[in-house]
Amino acid sequence: QVQLVESGGGVVQAGGSLRLSCAASERPFTMGWFRQAPGKEREFIAAITRAATNTNYADSMKDRFKISRDNRKNMVFLQMVNLKPEDTAVYYCAATSDYTTPSVGSWAYKYWGQGTQVTVSA
């Protein structure tokens, strides 16, 4: 199965930027980023297809977050700018087993990383 490992999280001040990375053991199909804050449901951020020809973003994320991937390295990235305290959460990358569209549903993703913590201070 696909193994996913996130990195790049940390503590930043409001208005700062972070670039999260997710290393996959092989080239997955559609991949996505999600986040989950304490006491809240897991929230979709963005998805990208295998060839990076299509992306999908949550409306609340599209202006500040950007997903990309490097298939030569089997990696997917999430560039985040103008971070806000409400962005504080554990961020997860995920991979589908066979999806060719950028699904927004967590049910589409079979493989999940362990998450990386992002904390934004005011």
Side-chain angles (χ1 to χ4, degrees):
Q1 63 180 30
V2 178
Q3 304 291 323
L4 304 173
V5 180
E6 302 98 334
S7 62
V11 180
V12 298
Q13 295 183 4
S17 301
L18 281 176
R19 189 190 192 209
L20 306 183
S21 300
C22 177
S25 59
E26 60 186 79
R27 184 189 179 193
F29 286 84
T30 289
M31 297 185 68
W33 285 95
F34 294 77
R35 70 184 185 186
Q36 188 166 20
K40 300 188 68 176
E41 297 295 319
R42 188 163 296 184
E43 181 182 24
F44 171 76
I45 300 172
I48 188 167
T49 57
R50 187 170 187 170
T53 53
N54 287 289
T55 57
N56 203 352
Y57 292 88
D59 286 341
S60 61
M61 314 289 184
K62 62 183 180 181
D63 291 333
R64 299 188 296 116
F65 293 6
K66 184 177 181 180
I67 190 170
S68 62
R69 68 191 297 169
D70 183 343
N71 289 327
R72 291 184 179 272
K73 299 180 179 180
N74 293 331
M75 297 187 72
V76 64
F77 307 96
L78 184 69
Q79 180 67 51
M80 307 185 293
V81 301
N82 192 25
L83 286 164
K84 304 174 181 179
E86 52 263 41
D87 294 320
T88 295
V90 177
Y91 285 69
Y92 299 90
C93 67
T96 67
S97 60
D98 56 4
Y99 273 61
T100 57
T101 56
S103 177
V104 302
S106 60
W107 56 85
Y109 298 86
K110 183 176 181 179
Y111 309 104
W112 294 82
Q114 79 288 347
T116 185
Q117 177 70 45
V118 172
T119 301
V120 184
S121 60

